[in-house]
Amino acid sequence: MQPMMRVFGAALASSALVLGSSSAAFAAPEGQPEYQAGAIDWKPCTEVPTVDCGFLELPVDYAKPNGEKFQLAVSRRRANDQANKIGSMVINPGGPGGSGVDFSFGADRYFSKEIVDKFDVIGFDPRGVARSQPIKCSADLMQKAPSAYPKNAAEYDQLVAFNKELRADCRKQSGAIFDHASTAEVAQDIDAIRRALGEKKINYYGVSYGTIMGQHYAERYGKNIRAMIIDSNMDHSLGTWKFLETEARGAEDMFNEWVKWSDRTPTSPFYGKDLRKIWNDLLAKADRGELKDPNGRVITAENLGANVVGMGYGPAFKPFADYVARLAAGAPVSAKFAEGETFENPFAGVFCNDYNLRVSSYGEYKALNTMEKRVAPNTRGSSIGHGAMMGCVGYPKATNSQRPLKIKNAPKILLTNSRYDTATVYEWAVNAHRQSRDTTVFVTYEGWGHGVYDRSECTLKINNEYLVSLKLPRSGTTCAAVEPPAQEAGALTAKRPVPAGPFSLR
C-alpha cells in the first residue's frame, strides 16, 4: 500500500472548535429502523488481488432513504486463520481524506500477525473520499488560494471571499454528497457495513480523525461494539480559542523535545551547539524575507513552524536536524522539509461540517493569531490549528458542530495517545477521556509521534491483548518512551502504512 499522508510543511486546512448542539439531524428518529443496505458484491481488488473489494449502496441523505444514493467503497482482507477467526475489524487511518481501503492493503504490515490471523480487516473510504464519490474542487481555483495569514482587513476579506468561492465550486463539482459528508453520517455508514457483513458486533480501530468516527459510532451504536481502539484522539468539544491554543502548545512542546533530543544525541548536527539561538536566527532571517528556496520563493517563519509540526509526526528528529543544518549553512533547500501526499479535497465538505470554526472579523483573527504566537513563539502557533481555523472562514454553520462526548451503552474502549503529538495533541486525549471516563480506558505512550499502536512492545501488547481477549490494563497506564531511530529522510514511511492526518492538505 502507498503510505498514508504524513503532513510535512504547509499550513493545513483544519479546524477550530466551538461548543455547539448535538447533530441529532443525522440520527434516525426513535424507533425508526436503520437503512437496510444490500449485500456487498466482493471481487478481488485491482490493486491487491488477495484483498476483496466491493461497494455498498447507501443514501446520500439518511433523512431521505429513498432519495439519491452513492457507492461506499469497502475492502476485506480475510483473516489468515478462518477456522479461529474472532470477527471483523473496521479500520480508518484518519484525515479527513485518508483511504481505509488503501490502509487495508497494508494491514499485514501495520497490525501484528496475531491480529491479521484472527480478524477480517475491513477498510472503507468514507463518503466524499477516494473511491466513495470523492469531493472535488477545481484545481485552478485551489491554486489561487490567498495566504492563511492575512496582514490586514483587506487580505482577511480576500480570504473570506475565496473560501466562499471555493465552497461553491466544490459543491458544484461534487454534488449533494458535499452537504452530507460529516462524521455523524459516516458513523451510520459504518453500521451499514456491519449489517452488510452480517455481524452482530464489530471491532474498530481508528487513528487520528478516525477517532471521531469511533467516538460518534460508540455514542450511537455502542451495543454493536465488541472492541474499539481510538488511537491519537481528536476532541470534538473544544471552542475555537481552546482548539487553537492546545494545537499551538503541542507544536511548541515538540520543538522543545527536538532541542532536548539534539542536546543528548551525538549524531545531531547541533550536538554541543546552541540550537535555540540558531533557530531564533533563522526565524529572524525569515521575518526579514532573507530565507529563500531554490526557486527564489521566500521561506516564512510560518513555513519553519509548519515543518516542526510535520517533523513531529514521525518524529523525524534526525532528518529534520539535517534539514535545518543545511538551511542554517545557506544551502539551497525546499520550503517544505518533506512532501505530503494529497487527496481530492474532502476538507471543505467533511471538516467544515464537523467543526464550527467561524472567525467573524479581522479583529477576532488578530486576537487569535496573537495568542497562538504567544503560546508557541518558536513555531508561530500550529500550522494545523491555524490552517483549520482559516480554512472554514466564511462558511455557513457546521451541520455536526462540536459537543461533549457522551457514550452510554458501549463496552470498555481503549483510548491511547502519545505524550508529544503535534497532530492530535495530548490535551485532546485527556479531555476526551474525561468526557467518557466510565467507558474509556486511557493509556499514554510517554514518547513522541502520531499513532500509538506499535510504538513499543508495551503498546503492542496492550493493543493486541485487548483486541484478542478483551483484556485491558488499568486506566492511566503508561508505556515508556522509545528513543526515535536516526532514520534517513527517505526511509520515514518505507516501513509500513502510517496514519493520515488529522487533516489533509488543502
Side-chain angles (χ1 to χ4, degrees), residues 282-319:
L282 284 174
L283 287 175
K285 288 181 69 175
D287 284 335
R288 294 193 300 268
E290 297 173 4
L291 283 184
K292 296 184 179 180
D293 70 9
N295 295 316
R297 291 187 291 262
V298 172
I299 299 175
T300 67
E302 288 77 17
N303 291 148
L304 294 177
N307 285 331
V308 173
V309 172
M311 172 270 291
Y313 274 63
F317 286 160
K318 176 62 164 62

Side-chain angles (χ1 to χ4, degrees), residues 9-89:
L12 303 184
S14 24
S15 108
L17 301 112
V18 177
L19 284 172
S21 60
S22 171
S23 58
F26 294 120
E30 194 70 30
Q32 177 180 312
E34 298 291 347
Y35 178 81
Q36 296 303 308
I40 302 170
D41 182 18
W42 296 112
K43 295 177 181 176
C45 301
T46 302
E47 302 90 336
V48 182
T50 54
V51 177
D52 300 326
C53 281
F55 290 92
L56 189 59
E57 186 175 82
L58 297 174
V60 169
D61 181 355
Y62 276 104
K64 300 176 181 177
N66 296 321
E68 183 179 343
K69 306 293 194 299
F70 79 103
Q71 299 293 315
L72 182 81
V74 187
S75 61
R76 177 180 64 188
R77 188 189 188 284
R78 294 175 66 85
N80 296 332
D81 184 2
Q82 285 289 310
N84 294 297
K85 185 178 78 171
I86 292 173
S88 295
M89 180 173 68

Side-chain angles (χ1 to χ4, degrees), residues 230-378:
I230 43 178
D231 178 345
S232 304
N233 281 260
M234 301 290 293
D235 180 358
H236 195 228
S237 73
L238 299 177
T240 306
W241 185 279
K242 200 66 178 177
F243 178 93
L244 200 64
E245 180 187 4
T246 52
E247 281 287 82
R249 189 154 44 243
E252 188 74 5
D253 286 349
M254 186 62 75
F255 173 82
N256 290 330
E257 289 299 302
W258 174 61
V259 172
K260 292 176 186 176
W261 168 87
S262 183
D263 288 345
R264 69 174 180 263
T265 308
T267 57
S268 169
F270 300 109
Y271 182 67
K273 299 179 181 179
D274 189 346
L275 179 51
R276 291 185 184 277
K277 182 181 185 306
I278 293 168
W279 182 260
N280 286 330
D281 288 346
L282 284 174
L283 287 175
K285 288 181 69 175
D287 284 335
R288 294 193 300 268
E290 297 173 4
L291 283 184
K292 296 184 179 180
D293 70 9
N295 295 316
R297 291 187 291 262
V298 172
I299 299 175
T300 67
E302 288 77 17
N303 291 148
L304 294 177
N307 285 331
V308 173
V309 172
M311 172 270 291
Y313 274 63
F317 286 160
K318 176 62 164 62
F320 184 62
D322 292 341
Y323 167 85
V324 173
R326 293 194 300 273
L327 191 62
V333 295
S334 169
K336 295 181 186 178
F337 164 48
E339 298 298 326
E341 182 182 346
T342 60
F343 301 89
E344 284 82 2
N345 186 32
F347 169 81
V350 180
F351 191 84
C352 293
N353 266 332
D354 277 341
Y355 291 105
N356 203 42
L357 352 163
R358 307 298 188 259
V359 180
S360 61
S361 66
Y362 178 68
E364 183 182 2
Y365 164 74
K366 282 297 293 181
L368 288 161
N369 185 227
T370 298
M371 177 272 291
E372 63 178 334
K373 290 190 291 187
R374 182 182 69 251
V375 171
N378 285 293

